[in-house]
Amino acid sequence: MSINCEILDLRAFLGVVELESFHRAADALNLSQPALSRRIQKLEASIGAPLLERTTRHVSPTALGLELVPLVQRMLEEFDSSLFAARGRGVRRSELVTIACLPTAAFYFLPTVIKQFNQEYPDIRFRILDLTATEGLQAVSRGEVEFGINFIGTSDPELIFDRIAEDPFVLAARRDHPLAMRQEVGWMDLAPYPLITVHRSSGNRTMLDATLARSNIELRWSYEVTHLSTSLGLVEAGLGISVLPRTATPGPDHPIIITRPLGNPLISRTIGIVRRRAATLSPAAEHFRRMIMGAWQGGQQAD
């Protein structure tokens, strides 16, 4: 039996599932609500079973609908990727992708993904706003960027936070430091050595202080800096050790700095992509968003 449906029918179904609302999905797809409902009804008729359960306050996928979600996601991803690649082989246009990114992720992780992206689409330009977590959320909310890479989730109903991965805090030290000889380090092991931390205004510092306080651990620092990249320079110079998110540290082939897992307690931040519910990303931005998620989940940040 053949199933007769269109790409927009699939987008309508996935939009309602992801946004949990016919109204928000219609806005995101630039459709009227009746038109969106007709798309869903057409898809359900083609399949021969309901895909969504509707109440006056809530909409959710049925058991069959839930099974179809990953399949529909893959179909749309393959379609969009093929379409975007076809556009790239046609008339070359200098498209612009504007994103907000945590400075910690912008320093090492992001350039790796952009390099991979540019190998396929060399004419795409990027505007990167390396902002703090709070400023990044605000930039997304105001529409100044298409999406943001952030570690702060949001309670704003107009924003979506797509979780990518956990980003644990690790020790950064010179290769000739005594702690570099260990495979894993505890927070109490840092006490004898000069510690380099970021300022208390940093979201990372706030998270560390709050989590460590619950274990009755206090960071006693010798150097306090504004940017984590500055702390790496001080580490290289042999002035002390530092604690950073793993995304902010150089890779294992760095000639001077080495990283070690930190435990007791393990502290991690959740990295994700923040975007507006009612906005449709440009084809280039959507392709880049998927590449970021694939790169992270594919283990590029593994030790």
Side-chain angles (χ1 to χ4, degrees):
M1 183 184 81
S2 63
I3 295 177
N4 181 24
C5 66
E6 301 175 16
I7 287 294
L8 193 51
D9 300 340
L10 300 176
R11 291 195 194 281
F13 166 66
L14 197 59
V16 173
V17 171
E18 291 181 341
L19 300 177
E20 299 179 341
S21 164
F22 274 81
H23 176 71
R24 288 196 292 262
D27 286 345
L29 293 169
N30 294 316
L31 293 173
S32 67
Q33 281 190 248
L36 179 71
S37 295
R38 287 194 295 271
R39 291 280 178 183
I40 298 294
Q41 291 166 1
K42 177 185 171 187
L43 184 60
E44 290 178 328
S46 297
I47 293 174
L51 299 178
L52 296 171
E53 293 178 340
R54 308 163 178 84
T55 67
T56 54
R57 294 188 177 183
H58 186 65
V59 58
S60 62
T62 63
L64 177 60
L66 203 57
E67 283 185 34
L68 287 180
V69 166
L71 175 62
V72 171
Q73 287 174 330
R74 286 195 300 272
M75 290 173 63
L76 292 177
E77 286 173 5
E78 290 174 6
F79 176 80
D80 289 342
S81 296
S82 299
L83 188 63
F84 186 60
R87 285 183 57 194
R89 290 192 294 270
V91 178
R92 307 301 286 181
R93 300 170 66 182
S94 188
E95 224 174 309
L96 175 66
V97 175
T98 302
I99 65 171
C101 185
L102 296 166
T104 48
F107 197 59
Y108 283 111
F109 171 73
L110 193 62
T112 303
V113 187
I114 291 177
K115 183 177 180 180
Q116 178 186 350
F117 187 87
N118 279 345
Q119 287 173 351
E120 297 182 51
Y121 312 106
D123 292 339
I124 302 299
R125 297 178 300 150
F126 283 90
R127 177 177 292 127
I128 302 164
L129 308 184
D130 44 341
L131 302 171
T132 65
T134 301
E135 291 170 341
L137 284 181
Q138 293 171 347
V140 175
S141 181
R142 291 193 294 258
E144 297 170 2
V145 297
E146 294 205 64
F147 65 83
I149 300 175
N150 215 314
F151 73 88
I152 291 182
T154 174
S155 58
D156 187 336
E158 300 305 314
L159 299 180
I160 301 172
F161 184 79
D162 298 319
R163 179 189 176 280
I164 300 177
E166 290 300 309
D167 186 21
F169 284 85
V170 299
L171 169 71
R174 283 180 58 97
R175 289 184 176 272
D176 57 3
H177 194 276
L179 291 179
M181 303 300 107
R182 304 188 185 187
Q183 290 305 306
E184 187 169 328
V185 179
W187 290 91
M188 300 301 292
D189 298 326
L190 309 184
Y193 306 102
L195 181 63
I196 305 158
T197 68
V198 288
H199 192 265
R200 293 181 185 277
S201 60
S202 163
N204 290 305
R205 176 67 179 277
T206 301
M207 178 186 296
L208 284 178
D209 286 348
T211 307
L212 291 174
R214 291 195 289 269
S215 298
N216 295 317
I217 299 174
E218 182 182 359
L219 291 178
R220 297 187 179 277
W221 52 270
S222 299
Y223 303 93
E224 191 177 70
V225 299
T226 303
H227 301 291
L228 288 175
S229 55
T230 305
S231 70
L232 287 174
L234 297 180
V235 171
E236 279 198 29
L239 292 172
I241 56 176
S242 189
V243 173
L244 304 93
R246 190 169 59 183
T247 51
T249 61
D253 56 347
H254 194 279
I256 300 175
I257 294 177
I258 195 168
T259 62
R260 288 290 179 260
L262 268 170
N264 300 319
L266 173 67
I267 303 177
S268 180
R269 61 183 191 172
T270 302
I271 294 291
I273 288 180
V274 181
R275 52 195 173 96
R276 284 172 292 154
R277 286 187 185 274
T280 301
L281 299 182
S282 68
E286 175 61 19
H287 198 66
F288 185 58
R289 181 185 74 85
R290 290 176 181 159
M291 187 171 284
I292 289 172
M293 299 187 74
W296 215 306
Q297 293 165 355
Q300 288 195 14
Q301 289 302 305
D303 288 329

